[in-house]
Amino acid sequence: MRQLRSVFVRLLLATLLLSLSVLFSHAAVDPPSLRCVEVDENGDVTIVWQLPINNFGQFREYEIYVASNPAGPFTQLTSINVWGTNFYQHVGAGMPGAGQLYYYIISRFDDGTLQSSAPSDTVSPMLVSLTKYSVDLSGQLFWNPIRDPKITTNNQNFEVYRRLRLYGNQWDSWIRIGLSDFQNRLYNDSVSICDGAVEYKIETVDQLGCRSRSNLVRDTLFDLTPPDAPIIDSVSVDNVNGQVKIAWTPSPSPDVTGYIITRGQFPNTTIVDTASGRFANAYIDDDNSLDYFSNPLFYQVAAIDSCGNVRPAPKEHGTINLQTSKDFCEREIILSWNNYDGWPSVLRYTVFVREDSGPYQLLADLDGNTRTFSHEGIDATKVYCYIVVAQSNGTSSPFYSTSNLVCASFPTIEAPQFEYIRSVSVLSDDSIRIKAFLDTSVSEKAVQYYLLGRSFDREGPFVTIDTLRLDSSVYDLTYVDGGVFADQFPYSYVIDAIDECDQVIKRSNVGRTIHIAARGSKYAFENELDWTPYVDWLDYGLGVQQYNVHLGLNDEFTGEPIGTVNPTTFKFFDAINQEVQFASKFCYYVEAIEEGPNLFNFKDTSRSNKICLSYDPDVYIPNVFTPNKDSRNEFWKPILPYINPEEYECDVYDRWGSKIFTIDEDSFEGFPGEDSNGKPYPVGVYVFHLRAFAESGSFIERKGIFYLTR
């Protein structure tokens, strides 16, 4: 009413100013201009008008009429005989219970005769109704205008106001919650309160500030409807911090105040905590007693609204529980895990592995139906750690869940400290000697037996040629491998220590024979040798000190080398021009001498295969010689280079056919021209008979004469 009174004053002043110019003139009688209508809280109706422009002295009264139907019949409600009055309060109007009411006003003036103006506009108070949506939502408001078509001075908009009363307390202050234009007198409100009342009113104001108000409409609200459920995206183990992370899509309900997180499977659940705020979407369970290693941990998230109504997510979600088992002998770790429980289906499981303290690497990418994996061929000396990551299926943006971390290793078994092949040497064309130094001090469980392997190639593959079972007191091993072709191929050897699983627990260094090859030049009297290096001492020592080259004439070796070369030289040239007079077969081998002592205080040797070059002799028989003590041409002998004295014999006869001398291995220098007592034979013709075998096995025989002269 205070606001209306200020409006009345403004309207009255405006009317007085407009009326002064015609105070005593005679004019037609005008009705008041109705401006606004207010319904009071007690149901009374107050109407406000603008004073008509007329002669002040001729005014008699305002007559106010009312009807319950816009078409009438109207009855006079009252009359007001004070021209300056611009409002009227219809006490007892009883709105809205009395139904809709319609008002108009006429002015009565005495212009010599009593006259009535035309009726003013008919106005009707705004009556607002509320159609509730449900017991906990307010609903839709509808109201009528004060006039249709609207009064031209009225504002285009209706203002919607609301106030609340919660739990029997006092009413809150009015707040404007919306605007609606003249053509749209509907307003939807979805306010929800737990236990209380809501009240609405509609207002509109004209250009002079006159405000029309509707009746008050109210109703009680009781929020018993749970909010929409959140949707759990995933639960995942944070293996770094020892926590479980629960993530969800928040509830779309606007009155949600937070979320309740529970652990366990219904009905055996425990409230863990709450997450505040409608848009909270994650929670970290950092309880230090969490055991996600033994079994999956299940979580549920429920939305709670301002009224305490609760609705859980459609399904609990459980962590992925990863377990391992081991097969020591197969060097295999078997992984198994439960299906991720919560999503409609799983698209894939990805397995990651970390060796010792290294980075995680992709191990396997499996389909969503596979929940086991065997990690084969692992190193029993390392620690392997695994996690499995699940990816959801059937969502536009996939979700991921990480399993618990699980690490696996094999029990430490004392492996041999060393398995050392000291040397390999060729003994003959069909035998090779292997010398080894083995750590046999480890337990029987660690080493069950040893395998001696042989290969043509240093890199293998190695074929087992023998199984060795050694007692713990044996450290040095000498083994002769027979049945080889050492003159044709180099051979490599390894010794493998085998554990209880028939697996190699320790492998020795590789021992490889030196293989020598030779090429000869018969008439240049030179043999060229080359051989493979011996590199196997570098694993535990300094390598080769030198190579000694040995020569055997007609298979007879003296034991002393004919030459020595440095450890980086693998070629040797042997000049044989002196040896061809008494040898037809030249045999060689190379001996490597270790630079020592090595790590085990050994200094070993390795001998190559033997290679031989044989030449068939060319026969040249001198026809004269001069044993005159001048140191030239003092002996006579058929010249057969590359002949073996053991396969050589030449008899000398005088002219009468008596054998006077035999050239053989004991007198290989030749016939001296004198007898055993030193008496010279006479000058003249002598007869010879030569018999010899070449290295190839062919028989050589010559007969003829030669001359002795002085």
Side-chain angles (χ1 to χ4, degrees):
M1 286 299 295
R2 292 176 182 172
Q3 290 179 339
L4 282 175
R5 290 190 185 97
S6 65
V7 172
F8 298 158
V9 173
R10 290 197 296 273
L11 290 173
L12 179 60
L13 290 175
T15 303
L16 289 172
L17 290 173
L18 291 172
S19 302
L20 288 177
S21 62
V22 291
L23 185 59
F24 300 105
S25 64
H26 296 277
V29 179
D30 294 329
S33 177
L34 289 175
R35 302 304 297 267
C36 52
V37 183
E38 177 183 358
V39 179
D40 292 341
E41 290 189 22
N42 60 7
D44 296 342
V45 176
T46 301
I47 59 176
V48 180
W49 60 87
Q50 186 176 351
L51 298 176
I53 304 173
N54 268 304
N55 188 318
F56 185 81
Q58 295 177 331
F59 175 79
R60 291 292 180 265
E61 62 183 1
Y62 299 115
E63 293 180 355
I64 299 174
Y65 292 84
V66 66
S68 59
N69 190 294
F74 283 87
T75 60
Q76 184 174 346
L77 178 62
T78 189
S79 62
I80 300 173
N81 57 14
V82 178
W83 175 81
T85 302
N86 69 338
F87 74 94
Y88 174 73
Q89 185 176 29
H90 181 188
V91 177
M95 295 190 72
Q100 187 63 272
L101 298 177
Y102 300 88
Y103 298 89
Y104 71 80
I105 305 175
I106 63 173
S107 298
R108 300 276 287 172
F109 281 78
D110 188 355
D111 188 15
T113 60
L114 188 63
Q115 299 185 52
S116 298
S117 69
S120 69
D121 290 334
T122 300
V123 296
S124 178
M126 290 185 292
L127 287 183
V128 62
S129 62
L130 171 63
T131 302
K132 279 207 312 182
Y133 292 141
S134 63
V135 295
D136 62 334
L137 288 175
S138 52
Q140 186 180 74
L141 300 171
F142 174 75
W143 63 92
N144 61 283
I146 62 173
R147 186 177 185 277
D148 191 4
K150 73 180 184 68
I151 299 173
T152 57
T153 59
N154 271 20
N155 199 309
Q156 293 287 343
N157 294 320
F158 294 98
E159 301 174 356
V160 182
Y161 287 85
R162 180 185 69 202
R163 66 179 178 177
L164 301 174
R165 185 180 64 198
L166 304 178
Y167 308 109
N169 297 327
Q170 297 296 320
W171 286 101
D172 294 339
S173 299
W174 287 102
I175 59 171
R176 192 176 77 175
I177 61 173
L179 293 173
S180 182
D181 61 34
F182 183 80
Q183 300 300 326
N184 184 22
R185 298 185 302 278
L186 289 172
Y187 187 84
N188 295 300
D189 188 26
S190 59
V191 66
S192 175
I193 57 179
C194 305
D195 181 9
V198 61
E199 194 168 56
Y200 296 94
K201 65 180 179 178
I202 310 298
E203 295 185 0
T204 185
V205 63
D206 74 357
Q207 296 169 353
L208 295 178
C210 189
R211 184 173 290 272
S212 296
R213 291 187 180 90
S214 73
N215 62 301
L216 303 181
V217 60
R218 70 180 58 166
D219 212 329
T220 56
L221 298 178
F222 300 95
D223 186 358
L224 303 177
T225 303
D228 291 333
I231 304 298
I232 300 177
D233 299 337
S234 64
V235 294
S236 191
V237 177
D238 179 354
N239 291 289
V240 175
N241 299 306
Q243 302 167 341
V244 176
K245 179 179 180 181
I246 305 97
W248 62 87
T249 301
S251 166
S253 299
D255 61 339
V256 167
T257 60
Y259 300 89
I260 301 171
I261 294 90
T262 58
R263 186 193 311 129
Q265 287 183 284
F266 183 81
N268 300 315
T269 59
T270 301
I271 295 178
V272 176
D273 205 346
T274 57
S276 299
R278 173 189 170 190
F279 298 105
N281 64 354
Y283 179 80
I284 302 296
D285 187 1
D286 57 0
D287 187 339
N288 57 16
S289 65
L290 291 177
D291 180 14
Y292 43 72
F293 298 100
S294 301
N295 294 288
L297 295 181
F298 287 86
Y299 290 85
Q300 177 63 282
V301 178
I304 181 170
D305 64 16
S306 57
C307 301
N309 298 308
V310 175
R311 177 167 287 175
K315 185 173 177 56
E316 301 165 334
H317 282 233
T319 60
I320 303 172
N321 179 246
L322 177 61
Q323 300 286 340
T324 64
S325 59
K326 296 173 289 186
D327 188 328
F328 177 78
C329 291
E330 293 297 327
R331 298 295 195 270
E332 182 179 47
I333 297 176
I334 300 97
L335 309 177
S336 60
W337 59 92
N338 60 289
N339 186 42
Y340 182 85
D341 193 354
W343 298 328
S345 61
V346 176
L347 177 63
R348 63 168 52 89
Y349 290 103
T350 307
V351 183
F352 295 89
V353 64
R354 182 184 69 195
E355 294 184 10
D356 291 335
S357 58
Y360 278 100
Q361 296 180 334
L362 174 65
L363 179 61
D365 197 355
L366 309 171
D367 64 61
N369 296 318
T370 301
R371 294 189 293 278
T372 61
F373 181 78
S374 295
H375 188 189
E376 301 174 347
I378 66 169
D379 185 341
T381 65
K382 293 183 177 181
V383 176
Y384 292 85
C385 295
Y386 305 89
I387 57 172
V388 173
V389 178
Q391 179 182 337
S392 65
N393 190 21
T395 56
S396 57
S397 297
F399 303 116
Y400 298 90
S401 174
T402 301
S403 74
N404 58 296
L405 169 70
V406 61
C407 295
S409 62
F410 289 100
T412 301
I413 294 180
E414 183 185 3
Q417 296 296 310
F418 57 87
E419 304 293 336
Y420 176 49
I421 293 182
R422 294 177 52 181
S423 67
V424 290
S425 286
V426 177
L427 299 181
S428 63
D429 289 348
D430 60 358
S431 64
I432 295 173
R433 182 188 65 204
I434 302 100
K435 295 178 66 176
F437 184 58
L438 307 178
D439 179 10
T440 58
S441 63
V442 294
S443 66
E444 291 184 2
K445 186 176 182 181
V447 179
Q448 299 295 303
Y449 54 91
Y450 299 85
L451 295 180
L452 177 61
R454 181 179 66 198
S455 175
F456 290 113
D457 193 290
R458 172 179 292 277
E459 304 302 324
F462 289 90
V463 177
T464 299
I465 61 173
D466 205 348
T467 300
L468 310 175
R469 299 186 183 274
L470 310 176
D471 61 56
S472 59
S473 63
V474 177
Y475 287 85
D476 274 310
L477 171 70
T478 299
Y479 185 92
V480 176
D481 181 17
V484 296
F485 301 94
D487 58 329
Q488 299 181 35
F489 311 104
Y491 287 87
S492 295
Y493 295 88
V494 293
I495 297 176
D496 289 328
I498 307 301
D499 64 11
E500 62 176 340
C501 301
D502 291 329
Q503 300 279 349
V504 176
I505 193 172
K506 184 72 174 180
R507 168 164 281 188
S508 71
N509 59 311
V510 177
R512 186 170 176 82
T513 60
I514 304 170
H515 192 263
I516 188 172
R519 291 165 296 282
S521 177
K522 177 178 180 180
Y523 299 108
F525 304 111
E526 184 179 66
N527 293 330
E528 178 184 353
L529 312 175
D530 56 60
W531 58 89
T532 58
Y534 192 84
V535 300
D536 306 316
W537 289 323
L538 290 173
D539 291 323
Y540 293 95
L542 301 175
V544 175
Q545 174 183 321
Q546 64 189 45
Y547 292 100
N548 293 336
V549 181
H550 291 264
L551 169 64
L553 298 176
N554 302 319
D555 274 334
E556 295 292 333
F557 288 90
T558 64
E560 294 298 323
I562 62 170
T564 297
V565 297
N566 63 51
T568 59
T569 299
F570 314 111
K571 189 180 289 292
F572 186 82
F573 294 92
D574 182 26
I576 59 173
N577 54 311
Q578 297 297 321
E579 289 81 3
V580 297
Q581 299 300 319
F582 48 87
S584 62
K585 186 177 183 181
F586 301 86
C587 296
Y588 300 90
Y589 70 85
V590 172
E591 184 180 44
I593 307 300
E594 184 177 7
E595 179 80 44
N598 60 24
L599 182 64
F600 302 107
N601 204 33
F602 296 126
K603 181 178 174 67
D604 287 302
T605 62
S606 175
R607 176 174 167 171
S608 74
N609 60 298
K610 181 179 71 173
I611 185 73
C612 293
L613 296 173
S614 297
Y615 301 100
D616 282 341
D618 294 324
V619 181
Y620 170 71
I621 300 177
N623 58 8
V624 65
F625 81 113
T626 59
N628 56 8
K629 309 299 183 181
D630 63 357
S631 300
R632 291 184 300 172
N633 201 17
E634 295 292 328
F635 293 89
W636 179 88
K637 181 178 74 172
I639 300 174
L640 281 79
Y642 307 114
I643 199 69
N644 186 343
E646 294 180 357
E647 305 294 335
Y648 177 100
E649 186 176 84
C650 181
D651 295 327
V652 179
Y653 299 87
D654 61 15
R655 67 183 67 187
W656 295 281
S658 298
K659 183 167 69 174
I660 60 175
F661 193 83
T662 298
I663 304 172
D664 57 16
E665 61 178 325
D666 296 324
S667 58
F668 196 63
E669 189 175 12
F671 174 49
E674 58 186 29
D675 62 18
S676 60
N677 296 318
K679 179 180 179 181
Y681 286 109
V683 173
V685 177
Y686 291 84
V687 179
F688 69 89
H689 183 192
L690 170 66
R691 300 173 303 282
F693 285 92
E695 186 64 32
S696 62
S698 62
F699 178 66
I700 300 172
E701 184 176 21
R702 297 287 190 275
K703 294 179 179 180
I705 63 173
F706 64 91
Y707 295 92
L708 186 156
T709 182
R710 293 186 174 85

